[in-house]
Amino acid sequence: MKILAIETSCDETAAAVVEDGRKVLSSVVYSQVEEHKIYGGVVPEIASRRHAEQIVPVTRLALSEASLSFCDVDAVAVTAAPGLIGALLVGVNFAKGLCLSGGKPLVAVHHIRGHVAANYIAHPALEPPFICLIVSGGHSHIVEVKGYTDFRVIGKTRDDAAGEAFDKVARVLGLPYPGGIYIDKAAAKGDAAAHKLPKPAVAGSPYDFSFSGLKTAVINLVHNLNQKGVCLAEKEVNDIAAAFQHTVCDILTARFIKAAKELGCKRLALAGGVSANSTLRAYVKAAAEESGCELFIPPIELCGDNAAMIGAQGMFEFMAGNISGLDLNAQPAWPIETGL
Ligand code: KG4
Ligand code: ZN
């Protein structure tokens, strides 16, 4: 079964063709990041406009790179939630138009379920059940993946998502947007022990996260250094980046492994943009080995937003009978557990 997948939830206009949920025939990602960089974050109105301009050429390219025409695909999968509403609407309405004109089934995909499904592409033998740490710009979830379309949230952030914290700390340190990758690079040259940062916990919820206090601690640290007349030269930036990255990754890894032990789950997966982080990958790998767990991590190109992961999850939604009508609407927020 061949699925044409569309993803426009944030600042990547993406289309892909995926066969049987695991084999990527093509994957095209048009990133708007350079345009948003000058504003230090995604400008929703600009994102929507660029999606509207790019969706047709990006989809055409995905079909031609797969050496297919639209007649050859069996269904259209589209990210319908969560994300920027104007951005999502471009993809959803485009997919609806394609399905109406071509008489194809329409499959709505939850963006975060898509991130999890990136692992099915990378690891053909991976099947649920497993437990997944999903860390992106908008989400930080520990999820029990009971089946391909059956999810239970074990823990989640109460405030900032991990990626959001990376991006905000990068901004304070004078690093470009999106900050995650720049923090990762700076941290590689820094000393994580140079600063001790807090590890906020959520009372009574051992698997939830709270990154807002940690972000504020870094902001205060930078202000205090500035007040003492310390200019943030490369060494200071690298050390703070290293301390912050170590602290976030330590919190994420400890709660993820604790949840896996509690559930007696021996199969672990990572997903989302922040799962590209070198320290997170190393910490989770070491902890998984120590606990005798099997670990699945997507390759870097499948960690960030792309449409291949939407095509992969789209196939499992289709198999579960989750076909949408042309009254499908985009949703800026939607729980991962609930069908669209
Ligand atoms: O999954 P994603 O591409 O988009 C959302 O669904 O939000 O995640 C984007 C996030 C951004 O916050 C970005 O800074 C972060 O992933 N990110 C990283 C790294 N690469 C991307 N964070 C830490 N280390 C990285 N290497
Ligand atoms: Zn994402």
Side-chain angles (χ1 to χ4, degrees), residues 8 47-49 51-53 55 85-95:
T8 63
S48 311
R49 277 192 229 162
H51 287 313
E53 286 163 12
I55 190 82
I85 188 65
L88 286 166
L89 278 168
V90 175
V92 167
N93 285 315
F94 181 65

Side-chain angles (χ1 to χ4, degrees), residues 182-196:
Y182 298 98
I183 296 254
D184 204 349
K185 284 181 184 156
K189 295 176 270 171
D191 173 13
H195 303 281
K196 191 164 168 46

Side-chain angles (χ1 to χ4, degrees), residues 111 115 136-138 163-164 166-167 178-181 184 272-274 276-277 303-305:
H111 182 78
H115 273 302
S136 71
E164 201 179 342
F166 267 97
D167 295 344
I181 188 157
D184 204 349
V274 182
N277 186 267
C303 290
D305 290 348

Side-chain angles (χ1 to χ4, degrees), residues 218-293:
V218 175
I219 293 170
N220 288 342
L221 175 65
V222 170
H223 285 170
N224 286 343
L225 288 172
N226 284 341
Q227 276 167 356
K228 284 180 196 156
V230 179
C231 92
L232 280 197
E234 201 185 331
K235 183 184 174 336
E236 279 75 31
V237 168
N238 293 345
D239 285 352
I240 296 172
F244 167 77
Q245 180 163 291
H246 160 74
T247 308
V248 173
C249 296
D250 201 39
I251 294 169
L252 288 168
T253 305
R255 288 180 207 169
F256 182 36
I257 298 295
K258 186 175 159 71
K261 282 188 181 152
E262 179 73 26
L263 287 176
C265 187
K266 288 283 179 193
R267 229 177 308 162
L268 315 178
L270 283 185
V274 182
S275 62
N277 186 267
S278 58
T279 296
L280 183 64
R281 291 165 92 95
Y283 284 10
V284 173
K285 194 164 177 269
E289 270 168 22
E290 202 186 300
S291 328
C293 294

